[in-house]
Amino acid sequence: LLAHGKFMWVASGPDIHRIPKETYRISNTLSGHRSLVTGLCSVGADVWSCSTDTDIRIWDGERGTTTKTLRFHERPITCIALI
């Protein structure tokens, strides 16, 4: 679960639901990961997600579209944080 801008981002299996804070109803479901989403992190205007599929996806925080996929891990990624 991540609060970012006007939306709540909720991981559900390999998908991410975006829920507007004013309605608290799913507005759209983001697909792209091939396996369980294990973490969400806010990085500036973007949202980063990680998964057991070994990918990190960077999403446009306002539009909810993938802007980049990072594929350099060999093992499942279990969490993500900005430090």
Side-chain angles (χ1 to χ4, degrees), residues 6 34 37-38 40 47 50-51 58-59 61 67 72 78 80:
K6 297 183 274 184
R34 298 163 304 199
V37 174
T38 54
L40 297 166
V47 172
C50 64
S51 169
I58 301 173
W59 305 85
T67 59
F72 53 84
T78 57
I80 190 166

Side-chain angles (χ1 to χ4, degrees), residues 1-81:
L1 174 67
L2 174 71
H4 181 84
K6 297 183 274 184
F7 294 94
M8 301 297 291
W9 294 61
V10 180
S12 178
D15 299 322
I16 301 168
H17 300 300
R18 285 194 339 144
I19 303 170
K21 291 178 184 176
E22 63 262 351
T23 64
Y24 288 101
R25 294 178 188 210
I26 296 172
S27 65
N28 60 327
T29 299
L30 312 177
S31 299
H33 283 291
R34 298 163 304 199
S35 188
L36 180 69
V37 174
T38 54
L40 297 166
C41 180
S42 180
V43 181
D46 296 327
V47 172
W48 292 34
S49 60
C50 64
S51 169
T52 56
D53 66 8
T54 72
D55 292 347
I56 294 173
R57 286 189 174 265
I58 301 173
W59 305 85
D60 179 292
E62 190 62 35
R63 294 190 321 244
T65 54
T66 300
T67 59
K68 191 172 215 173
T69 301
L70 305 175
R71 292 189 170 121
F72 53 84
H73 286 86
E74 295 180 8
R75 296 184 180 258
I77 305 169
T78 57
C79 65
I80 190 166

